[in-house]
Amino acid sequence: MNQIRKRLGDLLVESGLITEEQLQVALKEKDDGQRLGDALLERGYITEQQLIEVLEFQLGIPHVSLYRYPFDVKLFTIVPKELAKRNLIIPLKKEGDKLLVAMADPMDFFTIDDLRLSTGFHVEAAIATKDDILRAINKYYDMDEGLEELFGGPSSTEEVQEAKIIDQDSPIVRLVNQVLTNAAVMKASDVHIDPHETKVIIRYRVDGVLRTERALPKHMQSVLTARIKIMANLDITEHRIPQDGRIKMNLDFHPVDLRVSTLPTVYGEKIVMRLLDLGSSLNDLNKLGFNKVNLHRFTEMIGKPTGIVLITGPTGSGKSSTLYAALNRLNSEEVNIITVEDPVEYQLEGINQIQVNSNVGMTFAAGLRAILRQDPNVIMVGEIRDKETAEVAIRASLTGHLVLSTLHTNDSLGSITRLIDMGVEPFLVASSVSGIIAQRLVRKVCRDCAQAHEPSKREIEIFAKRGMKIEKVVRGRGCSSCNMTGYKGRVAIHEVLVIDDAIRRVIMNGEAFSKLRELAVKNKTIFLIDDGLLKVKQGMTTTEEVLRVAIPD
């Protein structure tokens, strides 16, 4: 086995996919028993597709893409779903006494032996990516007879309906689980269930873009809504007012937290579920896509003992992830960190987190006041929504605390005017705020189908306007691992504004907004559009993506 592991590493280095240093880092840092391929994938040095191509060459085992593969559904009875999911295998075709299966790990001889004994066939393996296999299992295994009765038509009595919603083996329960598992496999951030006049549409938001997954008949709407409400502990008899709830569950042996929101519309209740992956490692500042200059500035800001650091951007721009990564960096036993959030998204070890509950008067401002009597070093306020919260946060920062918070504004400079518009005195804003980070998320070009192109005339103009040159741009062609979109995953672009004495004077004197901008340019602030275009130069994203989220001046 060691021989193979060594050869795999050497092959990857020889083919230029990784460097010798990356190989040594992965070998040194990987857990006991973890395979080298998995360790390299975890660190993002290679993609699964690249690993498979090298394995195909090394082991002489063919590689299959399961995107639109013509599966033989009869074979799914031979390999049960549990076995397929646990060992990441899926049967492809049968020829005489041979059974061809796609496997994520074709060197797993125990599974091959198990299959041979349980099916009586001679098993041959092909390689497929883990995501491909999981997507295929979720898509094809659940198209079984159980769901037919759901599509058949509305069932008669209330009692039958009630039993169906609670019974774990009932079709509706399986359907909801399948929708959620699919969302997790596709790494969707939200699931939308939209009622229309004649049907119900299920959509997933993947990498910030919504796409339709499937349409269900209208009569299934009530059972589907009731099932989700039961899971989220909501009132299933109330259809006229919006409701909020939470679901905690395991999807594929992985803990996932879902925030559920219902909204009454003309055609029934619309449900949106936000998936929070509790196992995701988004709490490392170095993995958030900061460039060197911005990372240095941001780390200096949160390293100060006092002051307010604000993170701004629209909903879904990754503000919470950046806040949690900052808290993680500051988290140690010598520091008392308290947060007040609405809602608490991720539970962090060693940090005291408070949930806002306006029904009992526990608002951001009330929570903040209570926190100040708890001897904190670092305070995190989920969001500054009103003058009262802003003033308490500023008071906290002036009395020797580091305060981290978020605001909904378009850019870093806009946050200063926003605070003043809320009614906070300019001298308080100037003396308390130590830095503002504006952030957006852009989709990353899929590494498996990326191709270099000549930049268009318009792109050259855009770059020239910002004082940059562009030689080539990278775009995704579209392949099975990115669902033919050309994009896979997201990366953040940042604008880090350090508030220095010159900017403080401008704020205190109430001078024009343009003066602030001049000073920001003078301080070599990298604006959102600049950071985005730098990431286009590095081949991480495309100009279209950057212009979708950042407006050029």
Side-chain angles (χ1 to χ4, degrees):
M1 191 69 209
N2 276 349
Q3 189 58 29
I4 282 173
R5 189 170 289 162
K6 178 173 174 288
R7 281 215 314 266
L8 172 67
D10 292 345
L11 268 173
L12 287 164
V13 174
E14 277 162 32
S15 54
L17 291 173
I18 60 170
T19 62
E20 185 62 45
E21 294 87 82
Q22 287 176 326
L23 174 63
Q24 294 312 322
V25 167
L27 283 168
K28 196 166 78 195
E29 291 180 3
K30 74 184 183 64
D31 306 327
D32 292 340
Q34 188 184 27
R35 292 201 302 275
L36 175 64
D38 290 343
L40 290 166
L41 283 175
E42 210 172 82
R43 283 161 187 73
Y45 293 156
I46 52 171
T47 68
E48 213 170 349
Q49 199 67 35
Q50 290 167 335
L51 176 66
I52 278 179
E53 280 161 17
V54 172
L55 279 174
E56 181 178 18
F57 173 71
Q58 180 198 5
L59 304 170
I61 294 175
H63 139 236
V64 287
S65 164
L66 304 181
Y67 190 77
R68 299 202 176 138
Y69 188 89
F71 285 99
D72 180 353
V73 190
K74 294 190 197 78
L75 293 178
F76 293 154
T77 50
I78 300 174
V79 181
K81 183 178 174 184
E82 261 47 60
L83 179 71
K85 250 192 177 161
R86 195 171 57 244
N87 298 312
L88 294 173
I89 55 174
I90 190 163
L92 298 173
K93 58 182 179 202
K94 182 176 93 185
E95 286 171 359
D97 66 340
K98 279 189 199 151
L99 178 68
L100 178 68
V101 290
M103 303 180 71
D105 176 16
M107 304 300 292
D108 185 354
F109 299 118
F110 293 115
T111 301
I112 294 176
D113 279 353
D114 280 355
L115 265 181
R116 201 182 66 238
L117 290 168
S118 63
T119 61
F121 286 105
H122 176 67
V123 176
E124 285 191 0
I127 318 177
T129 64
K130 183 177 158 185
D131 283 354
D132 240 5
I133 293 176
L134 278 173
R135 212 175 292 151
I137 290 173
N138 287 324
K139 193 168 175 187
Y140 296 101
Y141 266 92
D142 284 320
M143 285 168 56
D144 56 10
E145 61 291 342
L147 298 180
E148 254 77 275
E149 67 182 84
L150 258 185
F151 289 95
S155 56
S156 48
T157 62
E158 287 286 313
E159 290 81 55
V160 175
Q161 295 277 47
E162 191 66 36
K164 274 186 180 175
I165 298 169
I166 299 167
D167 177 18
Q168 283 304 313
D169 289 329
S170 80
I172 189 68
V173 173
R174 287 215 308 279
L175 175 72
V176 171
N177 290 349
Q178 183 194 337
V179 165
L180 296 178
T181 310
N182 256 346
V185 168
M186 290 174 75
K187 299 197 169 41
S189 59
D190 303 83
V191 178
H192 288 237
I193 296 172
D194 295 337
H196 290 220
E197 192 173 1
T198 55
K199 56 184 184 286
V200 180
I201 300 285
I202 294 179
R203 295 189 293 171
Y204 291 159
R205 189 180 290 283
V206 180
D207 291 340
V209 179
L210 271 173
R211 60 162 171 259
T212 302
E213 175 63 14
R214 55 161 66 173
L216 300 173
K218 183 72 176 170
H219 67 257
M220 285 171 61
Q221 186 181 322
S222 57
V223 258
L224 186 64
T225 309
R227 172 62 195 160
I228 292 168
K229 282 183 164 182
I230 279 179
M231 290 169 80
N233 284 328
L234 300 177
D235 180 358
I236 59 169
T237 58
E238 182 56 78
H239 309 290
R240 297 157 303 175
I241 56 167
Q243 297 185 63
D244 289 311
R246 281 191 101 131
I247 301 173
K248 265 200 167 131
M249 63 189 297
N250 274 338
L251 292 177
D252 290 340
F253 322 108
H254 203 70
V256 173
D257 210 351
L258 296 141
R259 275 195 352 228
V260 182
S261 164
T262 71
L263 183 74
T265 69
V266 184
Y267 297 122
E269 285 176 285
K270 173 179 166 66
I271 298 177
V272 176
M273 294 180 274
R274 161 72 53 94
L275 277 83
L276 302 166
D277 186 347
L278 302 177
S280 79
S281 57
L282 262 185
N283 38 22
D284 184 354
L285 267 187
N286 301 321
K287 290 183 184 160
L288 292 181
F290 276 101
N291 67 39
K292 281 196 185 113
V293 180
N294 281 345
L295 182 62
H296 176 67
R297 286 178 179 172
F298 184 48
T299 329
E300 271 193 347
M301 265 179 221
I302 61 172
K304 289 180 181 167
T306 63
I308 295 185
V309 176
L310 289 173
I311 299 180
T312 83
T315 312
S317 58
K319 299 190 296 292
S320 301
S321 299
T322 308
L323 272 181
Y324 282 124
L327 288 180
N328 225 36
R329 170 69 66 95
L330 299 168
N331 192 4
S332 70
E333 62 177 60
E334 299 93 53
V335 185
N336 178 17
I337 301 179
I338 308 183
T339 75
V340 52
E341 305 168 61
D342 180 23
V344 172
E345 288 188 24
Y346 299 98
Q347 273 111 16
L348 295 175
E349 189 72 36
I351 290 178
N352 311 291
Q353 293 169 285
I354 301 170
Q355 169 87 41
V356 165
N357 184 352
S358 45
N359 297 339
V360 294
M362 179 63 168
T363 58
F364 275 121
L368 248 177
R369 283 199 193 90
I371 287 174
L372 289 175
R373 295 190 285 274
Q374 291 276 327
D375 179 33
N377 299 89
V378 180
I379 300 169
M380 190 264 264
V381 186
E383 190 187 329
I384 293 179
R385 293 180 185 165
D386 50 38
K387 182 184 175 186
E388 196 185 3
T389 313
E391 283 183 339
V392 184
I394 285 170
R395 206 172 312 139
S397 77
L398 293 174
T399 51
H401 304 94
L402 175 66
V403 180
L404 304 175
S405 188
T406 67
L407 257 185
H408 285 286
T409 55
N410 287 333
D411 58 4
S412 53
L413 293 164
S415 308
I416 296 169
T417 40
R418 176 72 197 280
L419 285 171
I420 295 169
D421 286 348
M422 274 183 183
V424 181
E425 292 294 337
F427 74 90
L428 284 175
V429 175
S431 50
S432 61
V433 179
S434 53
I436 302 167
I437 295 95
Q439 176 171 328
R440 296 288 185 283
L441 290 176
V442 290
R443 290 186 291 169
K444 281 199 294 198
V445 173
C446 170
R447 281 164 64 178
D448 292 327
C449 59
Q451 287 177 326
H453 293 270
E454 286 286 311
S456 68
K457 200 169 155 203
R458 172 95 177 99
E459 281 177 316
I460 295 170
E461 274 173 26
I462 291 166
F463 273 84
K465 221 181 225 175
R466 309 296 305 181
M468 295 186 220
K469 277 199 176 112
I470 180 81
E471 308 290 321
K472 64 173 183 21
V473 290
V474 177
R475 285 197 174 79
R477 191 178 59 246
C479 63
S480 62
S481 68
C482 62
N483 256 340
M484 295 298 162
T485 57
Y487 296 103
K488 190 171 186 188
R490 286 190 289 179
V491 66
I493 59 173
H494 303 93
E495 173 175 309
V496 178
L497 177 75
V498 180
I499 307 284
D500 61 1
D501 292 339
I503 293 181
R504 286 202 172 93
R505 269 197 300 278
V506 170
I507 300 170
M508 279 164 120
N509 299 340
E511 290 178 45
F513 185 72
S514 54
K515 193 85 199 306
L516 282 174
R517 194 165 184 86
E518 277 169 35
L519 286 170
V521 172
K522 201 170 140 196
N523 289 349
K524 296 193 167 55
T525 302
I526 299 168
F527 291 101
L528 274 174
I529 182 101
D530 301 327
D531 194 28
L533 295 179
L534 284 170
K535 287 190 165 77
V536 174
K537 273 187 92 158
Q538 292 165 3
M540 288 163 100
T541 185
T542 60
T543 322
E544 296 85 16
E545 272 299 295
V546 174
L547 294 179
R548 188 170 64 87
V549 296
I551 309 149
D553 327 322

